[in-house]
Amino acid sequence: EIGLRAFGKRWDGSLTAFYSESDNGTTFDQNLVISKQPEQIYGVELAGNVTLSQALKVGGTASWLEGEVDLDDDGDYDEDLPSTRVPPLKVTAYAEYSPAHWWNLRLQALHSGDRDPDSTQFGGGEIDNYTLFDLNAGFDLGRGRGELQLGVENLFNEDYFTVLSQAGQLPYAYSKGPGRTVSLTYSLDW
């Protein structure tokens, strides 16, 4: 693993790359029997944050991984690792706005990309992308009065299947991700 971190007065960022190799990588075959073969996994991750003003901050991350397995232990990597082991491209972003010291608002997004591994192993199904947004608001009610949090997950009620559901392609275990969920939380420290 090798990486670089940088900091400025109003920003920070990092870039990391890695490579991993194992003689005993663990996956499952199509019959869900544990299988151990040589494998390699590699990828990169990028992260950054910028303070645009006293009230506004933005940032995000991007990560990409890939992996291969040597099914017959002959020194050649035959197939991609399945998506149960190597997820598709993942991108996150957020904007955080605090117009007053007692109020903050955060909009965040998650994008999970497409992946179509060349794999005969369990979890080798094709993955379709999806994008989710969450909105959270926090209100400090004052000293000794606590904090109120309002959250909306999957803000736009995206209809999607999770990565693991898509990867497994099992009719009895193909479940959708949760729809829009609203929560209201009150907390008090004493």
Side-chain angles (χ1 to χ4, degrees):
E1 182 175 316
I2 187 167
L4 174 67
R5 287 186 185 174
F7 301 89
K9 199 170 194 177
R10 299 172 66 99
W11 61 274
D12 65 84
S14 66
L15 173 63
T16 307
F18 73 91
Y19 175 82
S20 172
E21 195 174 280
S22 174
D23 290 334
N24 291 306
T26 304
T27 56
F28 291 94
D29 66 17
Q30 286 296 339
N31 298 316
L32 297 180
V33 174
I34 291 177
S35 178
K36 291 187 173 277
Q37 294 108 2
E39 68 180 25
Q40 62 181 3
I41 301 174
Y42 46 91
V44 294
E45 183 173 288
L46 176 66
N49 300 288
V50 178
T51 301
L52 298 175
S53 70
Q54 189 173 353
L56 183 61
K57 184 176 182 179
V58 296
T61 64
S63 59
W64 171 82
L65 286 80
E66 197 50 76
E68 299 161 335
V69 62
D70 179 3
L71 292 174
D72 52 11
D73 202 11
D74 67 354
D76 291 325
Y77 292 98
D78 311 298
E79 293 186 2
D80 295 331
L81 280 171
S83 295
T84 52
R85 296 282 317 282
V86 174
L89 171 72
K90 179 181 172 184
V91 178
T92 67
Y94 76 90
E96 195 167 271
Y97 180 61
S98 298
H101 72 280
W102 55 270
W103 176 34
N104 69 11
L105 187 64
R106 180 181 174 103
L107 177 65
Q108 58 191 31
L110 167 106
H111 175 77
S112 180
D114 296 319
R115 184 164 191 262
D116 189 10
D118 177 19
S119 177
T120 59
Q121 300 173 350
F122 172 75
E126 183 177 349
I127 307 295
D128 291 327
N129 71 72
Y130 56 87
T131 303
L132 305 174
F133 291 88
D134 300 329
L135 181 64
N136 295 292
F139 305 93
D140 185 347
L141 302 177
R143 187 177 177 125
R145 294 190 182 138
E147 185 178 4
L148 189 63
Q149 292 278 337
L150 173 64
V152 184
E153 294 181 13
N154 194 358
L155 181 65
F156 300 113
N157 203 27
E158 176 74 14
D159 188 19
Y160 70 101
F161 289 95
T162 64
V163 169
L164 291 179
S165 275
Q166 293 182 64
Q169 295 186 326
L170 300 171
Y172 59 86
Y174 214 75
S175 59
K176 287 193 175 189
R180 181 183 302 121
T181 306
V182 179
S183 63
L184 183 63
T185 307
Y186 172 76
S187 62
L188 178 64
D189 293 331
W190 71 90

